[in-house]
Structures are given as C-alpha cells and as structure tokens.
C-alpha cells in the first residue's frame, strides 16, 4: 500500500510468513494449504518515522482492512519471545511492541 511521498521504507514484510514451516499450529497449517484467504495477514513497513501495519482479515471482501501506525516517539519497549510450536518440533519467535497511546499526550499539550 502506498505511503506518503518521500517516506523511505527501511524494511517490509508479511506475517504469517509464506511456507508451512512458519505455521503456528496445525489449524493454521491446514488453512494455508486448503484456504489461504481464510488466514488473517499483517503487512508491515518500517520507516524512519515509525511502524506501519495493515491488517487484512480473512475473506477481506466481507470485512474491512485496517491500517495502524506506531510512532517511534511513543514506542516504549520491544520484547522477543521464543517458544516451541505445535508438537514441539520447531521454535517460534514473536516480537512484541509496546507503545503509549498518542492521544494521551495530545490531551496534556
């Protein structure tokens, strides 16, 4: 999706990643095989200003697509979690982003 002109994208990606090895559990694995449009996807773009992400719900022709933005000024913390996936055969890694609500700061100003 297009960003404002002049904003350089430093990194972009999609979750869940393509490929069955990145499925969280057996249900998501079956969904990727038999009905790929039935999985919620997030498209990420990281710029010098912050993190943009677009959430595409399953069967997006029925539901609306939402877009969010996290300004780096309001990013409080990041946490990388690792754990076992379905049947403990592979490791999964999650990156959690913690941010303050920008509207709270707007009220104080």
């Amino acid at each position: 999706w297009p960003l404002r002109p002049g904003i350089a994208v430093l990194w972009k990606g999609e979750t869940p990643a393509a490929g069955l090895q990145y499925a969280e559990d057996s249900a998501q694995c079956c969904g990727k095989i038999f009905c790929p449009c039935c999985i919620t996807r997030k498209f990420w773009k990281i710029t010098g200003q912050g993190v943009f992400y677009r959430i595409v719900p399953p069967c997006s022709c029925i539901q609306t697509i939402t877009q969010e933005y996290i300004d780096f000024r309001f990013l409080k913390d990041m946490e990388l979690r690792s754990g076992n996936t379905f049947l403990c055969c592979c490791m999964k890694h999650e990156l959690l982003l913690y941010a303050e609500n920008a509207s709270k700061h707007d009220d104080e100003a």
Side-chain angles (χ1 to χ4, degrees):
W1 74 95
L3 296 175
R4 291 185 315 231
I7 295 180
V9 175
L10 304 174
W11 180 86
K12 63 182 178 177
E14 177 184 348
T15 56
L20 297 179
Q21 67 271 26
Y22 298 110
E24 289 185 21
D25 53 24
S26 59
Q28 192 179 70
C29 186
C30 290
K32 283 184 167 191
I33 294 171
F34 299 111
C35 186
C37 69
C38 296
I39 296 174
T40 299
R41 296 170 301 162
K42 282 187 184 177
F43 295 93
W44 299 85
K45 288 186 180 182
I46 298 178
T47 68
Q49 289 76 32
V51 179
F52 293 85
Y53 62 96
R54 173 182 272 183
I55 301 170
V56 180
C59 303
S60 58
C61 60
I62 299 170
Q63 300 175 6
T64 59
I65 296 172
T66 59
Q67 184 169 316
E68 299 288 331
Y69 171 70
I70 301 172
D71 192 318
F72 283 140
R73 294 175 295 170
F74 302 114
L75 191 63
K76 292 175 66 174
D77 195 15
M78 294 189 301
E79 180 181 350
L80 181 63
R81 288 188 185 171
S82 298
N84 292 331
T85 59
F86 180 68
L87 297 178
C88 303
C89 58
C90 298
M91 292 292 291
K92 71 174 180 176
H93 305 285
E94 296 177 293
L95 178 63
L96 303 174
L97 300 174
Y98 299 98
E100 292 181 17
N101 189 354
S103 63
K104 182 174 100 174
H105 290 286
D106 292 341
D107 293 339
E108 294 173 0

